[in-house]
Every structure is written in C-alpha cells, then in structure tokens.
Amino acid sequence: MAKMLTLAALAGDPDRFHLIDVRDAEDFVAAHVTGAVHIPLTELEDRAGELPTVRTPVTICGKGGGRSAEGADILNRLGHPDALWLEGGTFGWLAQNT
C-alpha cells in the first residue's frame, strides 16, 4: 500500500508536491485544496501520463485514506513509486488552513 503524507509535511514544503484530487467533479467543485488538479479516480490510470515528473504526486480525497490511498496505489503501480496520499484529505487541509 502507498505511503501517507501528513498535513504538516505538506504545509512545510507545498512546492515539493503535485496535488491530485481524485474525487468526483461535484465534490471537487464544492471544496478543494487550492492548487489541486482534478483527476477523478476513475480516470487516473488513463491520465497518469499528465503528471509532472519534477514533483511528488499526492492524491487527495475528502477525508483521506479511501479513494486517495487507492489512487496513490494506482500511481505506484504505473511507475510513480513516490506517490503518496494525504492524511485527513481535503477536509483536514481546509480545517487547518482556512
């Protein structure tokens, strides 16, 4: 299983990471982390080639650990061994940073 990135680690060095929100469009529009790119989990495998190689990919979902962990696993399998998922997800980030 892919490794988790803590909210504190993201806050400490945000430019190191490429944030990918893997939720559905409706959820993304309702609330998302500033700078996150929206690639639904169902499209992630087909669109993985769009990810920049200079930053560590970090998948995000609402609470963290469900769809985001699955997304990071997909990216690990597709040649992004450093892909992580975000602890606390969108809601955790927004709670600490708004």
Side-chain angles (χ1 to χ4, degrees):
M1 181 171 197
K3 295 180 183 177
M4 175 189 69
L5 176 69
T6 65
L7 292 168
L10 176 58
D13 192 7
D15 293 334
R16 179 178 162 212
F17 304 103
H18 181 72
L19 307 177
I20 307 144
D21 193 314
V22 296
R23 298 175 298 152
D24 298 330
E26 183 178 292
D27 293 333
F28 181 79
V29 170
H32 60 272
V33 174
T34 301
V37 174
H38 181 233
I39 303 178
L41 186 61
T42 57
E43 299 175 18
L44 189 58
E45 190 164 348
D46 292 335
R47 296 180 57 191
E50 297 175 22
L51 303 179
T53 57
V54 295
R55 293 190 287 161
T56 302
V58 177
T59 54
I60 305 170
C61 66
K63 295 178 185 175
R67 288 176 281 183
S68 59
E70 184 179 347
D73 284 340
I74 289 169
L75 293 177
N76 288 166
R77 183 172 41 83
L78 294 175
H80 296 275
D82 59 340
L84 307 166
W85 58 274
L86 184 64
E87 167 199 45
T90 299
F91 303 130
W93 178 262
L94 294 176
Q96 290 186 10
N97 296 284
T98 55

